Amino acid sequence: MPPETSTPATPATLFGTDATRTRAPLAPAELRVDVAHAARMYDYYLGGKDHFPADRDAAEAALLALPTLRIAARQNRSFLLRATRHLTEVGIRQFLDIGTGIPTSPNLHEVAQTIAPDSRIVYTDNDPLVLAHARALLTSVPQGATAYLDADLHDPDRILTSPELHDTLDLTRPVALSLIAILHFLPDDHDPYSIVRRLMDALPSGSYLALTHITVDHDRESVDAAAEVYRQRGIPVQARSIDDIERFVDGLDLLDPGIRLVHHWRPDDGVPPGLTDAQVSVYGAVARKL
């Protein structure tokens, strides 16, 4: 597996071609470096360089509560790569990735287009630092296409009606919806189950949902303590049990092996031996819309 590295920042003045598209110019968003941000904390766990003192301080506090967060982050990334590889191998050529985060190589489109160069990907996030890195997400091979959409998962209709989505993907053909490590940032009062249903309802039969989600099932005390660190910094987090996570795939056909901790989901050489369930504490699943 290629090494995971963060891509250097580039200006957010973006323009499109047939292979790499976004609407330009995108409105600038306020970059708050004095408060922690979940995407930048995740970058810190992965060993990236795109974070600020507030992010590092919050991440270190979370690591005190849950020292295995770096392991969990890396296994989450490995799941994304394996799930994307599998979906491409079974014929999916369109991906909608929401909650993209700061680009970390290999990106989703790099995995998919290595197998199927005609793959088309729409990346979606609403963090200004991700926007600043968006050019790294738009490096499609000529046969395929990528686009970046500045939008929030809380507003699925904005995503589903966006020109960026409809210019890049054909919603009459199957799409893989990728919700990797984002749903736990939507507490129940944000109505996450309705948001996922709205997105999947807009996709045709044969589409897929790939998700990961932090869980309290194997180390409740430590996971709850780490979640509290996030909440104290204004980042809502709700870790869930497997029963709660099953609701996200209700009515879909779960692929084998079902909902599993990510290091148990079709593991490959990227999964180190000897990992315990408590060290990972992140569930993953891929499910098909019938």
Side-chain angles (χ1 to χ4, degrees):
M1 184 173 65
E4 296 184 10
T5 57
S6 292
T7 308
T10 56
T13 305
L14 304 171
F15 54 92
T17 67
D18 286 343
T20 62
R21 284 180 241 183
T22 187
R23 292 277 163 172
L26 290 172
E30 181 183 7
L31 176 60
R32 292 288 305 276
V33 301
D34 58 328
V35 295
H37 191 283
R40 301 193 301 258
M41 292 171 67
Y42 186 66
D43 178 74
Y44 181 76
Y45 301 142
L46 289 175
K49 299 178 181 178
D50 297 297
H51 40 73
F52 300 97
D55 309 304
R56 294 191 288 274
D57 290 346
E60 286 296 338
L63 284 163
L64 283 175
L66 184 59
T68 59
L69 264 171
R70 285 193 174 95
I71 294 172
R74 292 191 178 278
Q75 291 308 308
N76 180 76
R77 277 282 306 168
S78 294
F79 171 90
L80 167 65
L81 305 184
R82 295 197 304 276
T84 301
R85 190 177 303 120
H86 174 76
L87 289 168
T88 309
E89 288 172 348
V90 299
I92 293 295
R93 296 295 179 266
Q94 303 189 112
F95 295 83
L96 172 57
D97 181 57
I98 304 178
T100 297
I102 296 167
T104 302
S105 186
N107 296 310
L108 187 153
H109 75 276
E110 293 170 325
V111 175
Q113 291 182 346
T114 296
I115 299 168
D118 58 335
S119 297
R120 307 174 74 84
I121 296 90
V122 174
Y123 290 110
T124 305
D125 210 305
N126 69 329
D127 176 43
L129 190 59
V130 179
L131 174 60
H133 284 271
R135 195 180 296 276
L137 298 170
L138 298 174
T139 55
S140 173
V141 297
Q143 301 96 314
T146 61
Y148 179 79
L149 169 61
D150 184 35
D152 192 323
L153 179 58
H154 288 91
D155 189 359
D157 289 333
R158 156 86 172 99
I159 296 171
L160 293 170
T161 60
S162 69
E164 291 88 348
L165 181 69
H166 290 276
D167 286 352
T168 310
L169 305 184
D170 177 0
L171 297 191
T172 68
R173 297 173 55 229
V175 175
L177 172 63
S178 179
L179 298 174
I180 303 299
I182 187 172
L183 292 171
H184 44 247
F185 294 114
L186 276 65
D188 285 345
D189 60 1
H190 291 221
D191 206 10
Y193 299 106
S194 291
I195 290 172
V196 174
R197 282 195 300 271
R198 174 73 183 94
L199 291 165
M200 290 304 298
D201 284 349
L203 304 180
S205 297
S207 294
Y208 287 84
L209 169 63
L211 66 85
T212 64
H213 198 299
I214 195 166
T215 183
V216 293
D217 284 353
H218 304 280
D219 188 358
R220 177 178 290 275
E221 182 178 355
S222 298
V223 170
D224 279 345
E228 182 59 26
V229 171
Y230 278 76
R231 289 192 289 267
Q232 289 173 355
R233 275 116 177 123
I235 304 170
V237 173
Q238 182 173 339
R240 293 183 168 95
S241 69
I242 191 169
D243 291 339
D244 298 326
I245 295 167
E246 282 176 347
R247 292 179 57 193
F248 287 114
V249 296
D250 187 40
L252 304 177
D253 183 28
L254 269 171
L255 271 62
D256 289 338
I259 300 174
R260 293 290 185 272
L261 292 168
V262 290
H263 64 303
H264 294 314
W265 197 92
R266 305 190 181 201
D268 59 15
D269 293 341
V271 177
L275 286 183
T276 68
D277 292 351
Q279 285 177 313
V280 177
S281 289
V282 176
Y283 281 123
V286 178
R288 184 175 183 268
K289 182 176 179 179
L290 300 175

